[in-house]
Amino acid sequence: MSAMTSTHPMSRVSTGKIALLVTLMTESVFFATLLVAYAALREQVGWDVSQTLARLSIPIFNSAVLLLSALAAWWSGNAIRKGEQAGLRRGLLIALLLGLVFVAGQIYEFNSAGLSISDQAFGGVFFTLMGFHAVHVLAGVVFLALNLMRAYLGDFSAEQYEAVEVGNWFWYYVTAVWAVLFAALYLV
């Protein structure tokens, strides 16, 4: 058998996966641009993070929740590759619920951050970064919810699970972006 052919059902990269990767690359450029603007404005304004941002307990809690949700999504992907429907459903449900907890935590943090979107350009960039990430989290939650509904309908098997994989890739991306934002906004 040649290297170009394979009997494994997921051996060929699909157009859906390629489209997701291209989209995530362009989104990464946008996030990077906003982070550079944030850093430049932060230096100009001389903004003291420790005095105006909410205590680190909320962002640390949110980070833990999002990391656990990514772990649950990973668990769901491993389960369906083994044909374990219950594990798929359980992992997607946990990831979805933790994603919603993260969103609630973000809403709480937005209300207690000590910044407003009208705080010169700096507040605008901060909220644009956080808001853009929040939109991605909500899109990921929708993706997880759709995959969970499809899992309950029996649409996935050990041979057919690409939507789960693509949805999980997006969720991992959302988690990775949060790790970068957390470091840039709260630790630097």
Side-chain angles (χ1 to χ4, degrees), residues 30-31 34-35 38 47 53-56 58-60 62-63 66 102-113 115-117 121-139 174 177-186:
F30 185 72
F31 274 114
L34 287 173
L35 281 169
Y38 171 83
W47 190 64
L53 282 180
R55 294 180 347 197
L56 279 178
I58 298 166
I60 289 171
N62 282 344
S63 298
L66 200 55
F102 179 84
V103 169
Q106 286 298 98
I107 291 169
Y108 178 78
E109 184 181 7
F110 276 14
N111 291 327
S112 63
L115 276 177
S116 75
I117 201 158
F122 182 78
V125 172
F126 176 84
F127 278 104
T128 300
L129 267 168
M130 297 298 275
F132 195 62
H133 182 259
V135 167
H136 282 77
V137 170
L138 291 173
V174 165
V177 168
W178 175 252
V180 171
L181 291 178
F182 177 79
L185 299 176
Y186 300 104

Side-chain angles (χ1 to χ4, degrees), residues 115-167:
L115 276 177
S116 75
I117 201 158
S118 63
D119 288 340
Q120 300 176 11
F122 182 78
V125 172
F126 176 84
F127 278 104
T128 300
L129 267 168
M130 297 298 275
F132 195 62
H133 182 259
V135 167
H136 282 77
V137 170
L138 291 173
V141 163
V142 168
F143 215 148
L144 290 169
L146 290 172
N147 280 341
L148 180 60
M149 287 188 296
R150 289 185 63 194
Y152 275 104
L153 293 172
D155 285 353
F156 302 119
S157 68
E159 295 79 33
Q160 184 174 342
Y161 55 86
E162 184 177 344
V164 172
E165 208 164 51
V166 170

Side-chain angles (χ1 to χ4, degrees), residues 1-8 11:
M1 183 176 276
S2 83
M4 296 300 288
T5 60
S6 173
T7 57
H8 189 275
S11 63

